[in-house]
Amino acid sequence: YAPGKIDRRVAATPERVARGKKIASVSCFNCHEDATTGRLTGKRLVDAPKEFGPIFSKNITRDPAHGIGTWTDGELVYLLRTGVDRHGQYLPPYMPRVALMSDEDVESLVAFLRSDDPLVAAVAEDPPGVTQPSLLTKVLTHTVFRPLPFPEQRIETPAPYERVAYGRYLANSIGCFGCHSADFKTMNELVPEKTQGFYGGGNALLDQRGETIRTANLTSDDATGIGRWSEEDFDRALRFGVRPDKTVLLYPMVPLPELTREDTAALYAYLRTVPQLSHAVPRPVRAPVAADASEGKHVYYRYGCPACHGDNGVGIGDLRRAALHYPTDASLVAWIKKPSSFKPGTKMPTWDGVIAEADYPALIAYVRELGK
């Protein structure tokens, strides 16, 4: 493919950088942020379906040799829109394209990538491996998921007070429908509503252990979806990771605290308009633990901690550093209960009222052991 040559120069205002970071935290961080570097240096995507082959995300820091430091604004915009990079290479569709995102938000995303935020500070490091697309990926890339057309006209962001329209924009343009429909292989990026099983869930993803996690039904079906959820229930689940039944969301779904109450209200309003689908999605089965394992390990697995942190404590967050940041047991318990009070914007769910008080001593002892 011929690389896109568009003349686009993005003015990096503080407002754009902030908006771009918010969008990136929802749509980029999970794939590109490495827990060991603490920056967007790329990593192996253990949660991607195995049928696509081993996938390693790219370093998208400002480093000129290993990252995107020498890319022009126009080249970044063209890649994000179409999936075609500066060299004319078409990236497989597990790199999301933002064909429906507004121009202002795309430019805000570029402004953040150009900013002095520590997450994109230059790091001269390549991802820990090379992507090896499977035969299925190659077939899909040349048949179903071809490069998307670059928009002929400027796309505007709906006004936030237009709740349904703004909710539809957030959900379908920035990022919910692909995961929460039937299968990535049948998603329609240009007309999301034509996607098979639209918001009915069931798409098979993987957690940090490689265990299959089926995405939730987000339609308003009372029995199998979120029809009985109130707007407040939805807000708490989305921003703090706790469902109405006091169970927590587990990776690959993480809390999205960067969303505002206005954002979640708009998403809720839009999802109420999506046609209901009666589709019961089974909850994941907890991984078995050896009978002779420590009490703390049993607690760690019972609450689903490996989904995010893996078996060894290193996943989207590195538990080996717990002793460094929280040297006392009381401080570590406080962090687990209400992590957002320590680190605003954290992807750690709020566990207060979920983990039984009697389970904390054993859990803390096991986390300390992982750090050793």
Side-chain angles (χ1 to χ4, degrees):
Y1 301 98
K5 298 296 183 182
I6 62 169
D7 184 18
R8 188 69 60 90
R9 296 181 183 180
V10 176
T13 65
E15 293 77 17
R16 272 186 171 163
V17 171
R19 175 73 176 179
K21 184 173 184 178
K22 176 179 177 176
I23 296 170
S25 68
V26 173
S27 56
C28 305
F29 288 6
N30 266 7
C31 290
H32 289 278
E33 184 177 7
D34 181 70
T36 57
T37 66
R39 291 179 170 84
L40 305 185
T41 53
K43 63 180 180 181
R44 179 165 187 170
L45 303 185
V46 297
D47 53 313
K50 295 178 181 177
E51 59 190 328
F52 294 143
I55 304 171
F56 293 86
S57 59
K58 299 289 187 180
N59 180 333
I60 57 172
T61 70
R62 298 193 313 275
D63 186 83
H66 302 266
I68 57 173
T70 61
W71 286 54
T72 68
D73 292 350
E75 288 169 342
L76 287 172
V77 170
Y78 194 82
L79 169 66
L80 292 169
R81 287 291 196 200
T82 67
V84 178
D85 70 13
R86 66 194 300 200
H87 306 295
Q89 180 181 3
Y90 173 51
L91 304 184
Y94 33 69
M95 167 62 189
R97 285 82 60 86
V98 292
L100 304 179
M101 187 182 288
S102 71
D103 284 78
E104 179 61 35
D105 279 348
V106 172
E107 290 167 6
S108 295
L109 192 52
V110 171
F112 165 69
L113 294 172
R114 297 286 196 220
S115 73
D116 58 1
D117 191 285
L119 283 165
V120 292
V123 178
E125 182 174 313
D126 288 320
V130 178
T131 296
Q132 301 173 38
S134 66
L135 177 60
L136 174 63
T137 299
K138 293 176 181 178
V139 170
L140 290 173
T141 299
H142 289 89
T143 55
V144 181
F145 296 109
R146 296 180 63 80
L148 297 181
F150 194 84
E152 295 182 359
Q153 297 179 335
R154 190 171 179 87
I155 302 174
E156 302 297 334
T157 310
Y161 61 79
E162 297 175 347
R163 289 180 58 178
V164 172
Y166 187 60
R168 178 183 183 276
Y169 171 74
L170 293 177
N172 297 348
S173 304
I174 295 180
C176 302
F177 84 93
C179 288
H180 285 279
S181 297
D183 196 306
F184 288 125
K185 296 189 292 295
T186 55
M187 62 187 289
N188 190 319
E189 294 173 273
L190 294 177
V191 188
E193 289 83 357
K194 292 184 178 181
T195 295
Q196 180 181 330
F198 190 56
Y199 283 109
N203 200 354
L205 306 182
L206 302 175
D207 66 12
Q208 291 291 309
R209 299 185 69 248
E211 299 292 330
T212 299
I213 303 290
R214 299 278 176 177
T215 58
N217 181 344
L218 296 186
T219 72
S220 54
D221 182 68
D222 282 351
T224 64
I226 59 171
R228 298 181 186 276
W229 289 28
S230 68
E231 187 178 295
E232 290 69 27
D233 291 335
F234 183 75
D235 177 72
R236 188 182 183 211
L238 205 54
R239 293 203 292 151
F240 301 102
V242 183
R243 299 185 187 91
D245 63 2
K246 292 189 176 181
T247 59
V248 299
L249 302 179
L250 298 178
Y251 192 87
M253 183 63 196
V254 295
L256 301 173
E258 56 275 357
L259 297 182
T260 65
R261 187 68 178 81
E262 185 179 47
D263 293 334
T264 61
L267 284 165
Y268 182 82
Y270 167 65
L271 289 173
R272 305 304 277 190
T273 71
V274 172
Q276 295 181 22
L277 290 178
S278 178
H279 181 209
V281 179
R283 290 279 182 91
V285 178
R286 301 293 189 208
V289 183
D292 60 350
S294 68
E295 181 185 354
K297 187 171 184 177
H298 278 283
V299 173
Y300 182 78
Y301 278 80
R302 185 164 70 247
Y303 286 106
C305 303
C308 292
H309 297 290
D311 292 319
N312 62 355
V314 184
I316 60 171
D318 191 347
L319 293 185
R320 297 173 304 178
R321 300 178 182 177
L324 174 64
H325 298 296
Y326 307 100
T328 68
D329 289 356
S331 64
L332 184 52
V333 169
W335 154 258
I336 294 172
K337 285 185 173 182
K338 294 184 178 180
S340 60
S341 64
F342 289 81
K343 184 181 178 182
T346 181
K347 300 296 186 180
M348 176 83 165
T350 298
W351 289 90
D352 191 25
V354 177
I355 295 177
E357 291 295 324
D359 286 336
Y360 276 107
L363 177 61
I364 297 304
Y366 185 66
V367 170
R368 302 284 191 210
E369 189 64 29
L370 287 172
K372 297 175 183 179

